[in-house]
Amino acid sequence: MRTDILIHRFLIMCIAFLLSSFVALNALALQSKSSLEPRIYSCDELKKLYPELDKLSHKELKKSLFEKFLSQYRTCPMENYTYAKYYVCCFHNDNSEQVNYLRKWVAAFEKKLKSKGN
């Protein structure tokens, strides 16, 4: 068999493996968060809740969390809150528009949770 064909097949197998790993991580994350208790979470609790996010680089983590926040904005408010709070906890020193927006959103959501608790 020619070398270029072997390299091509090897690359396809590597890409397939990476895609399946990514899908498995996302499925694991969604499965474990399906029944979040409606309460205020601390940063430490969120880091324990999402251990798979520790494996991402700084840039990948920012992108992943913000995309998850945007994609579930209306459908899963509690899970959305945990992604936003995790983002704010991880990037608390950042003064970007995204962090400032999420800080305000988390504060408003926590205020809403507190008022429902009383």
Side-chain angles (χ1 to χ4, degrees):
M1 200 176 269
R2 292 184 357 204
T3 308
D4 58 336
I5 293 173
L6 288 174
I7 292 172
H8 186 290
R9 287 186 181 173
F10 176 74
L11 289 174
I12 289 174
M13 289 185 337
C14 289
I15 291 170
F17 174 75
L18 289 173
L19 287 174
S20 65
S21 298
F22 180 73
V23 169
L25 269 179
N26 280 342
L28 178 66
L30 289 175
Q31 178 186 14
S32 63
K33 297 0 164 242
S34 60
S35 60
L36 289 167
E37 181 184 338
R39 66 180 181 86
I40 296 174
Y41 287 85
S42 71
C43 293
D44 290 334
E45 289 173 319
L46 290 174
K47 289 185 180 185
K48 290 176 187 173
L49 193 60
Y50 296 104
E52 69 277 0
L53 295 177
D54 286 337
K55 298 172 186 169
L56 299 175
S57 71
H58 181 82
K59 189 176 181 179
E60 290 173 325
L61 181 61
K62 270 186 142 178
K63 183 179 177 185
S64 175
L65 286 172
F66 201 73
E67 284 176 355
K68 287 179 182 188
F69 173 80
L70 292 177
S71 70
Q72 299 179 10
Y73 189 74
R74 300 230 186 258
T75 57
C76 305
M78 222 25 240
E79 190 171 341
N80 205 41
Y81 159 71
T82 60
Y83 289 133
K85 177 89 178 221
Y86 194 102
Y87 191 103
V88 170
C89 289
C90 287
F91 307 108
H92 58 88
N93 291 332
D94 193 347
N95 257 350
S96 68
E97 285 183 35
Q98 288 177 333
V99 175
N100 290 332
Y101 173 77
L102 291 177
R103 274 190 197 111
K104 292 175 186 175
W105 191 91
V106 166
F109 192 85
E110 288 179 348
K111 184 177 178 181
K112 187 177 177 181
L113 282 175
K114 285 179 187 177
S115 69
K116 283 185 178 181
N118 292 336

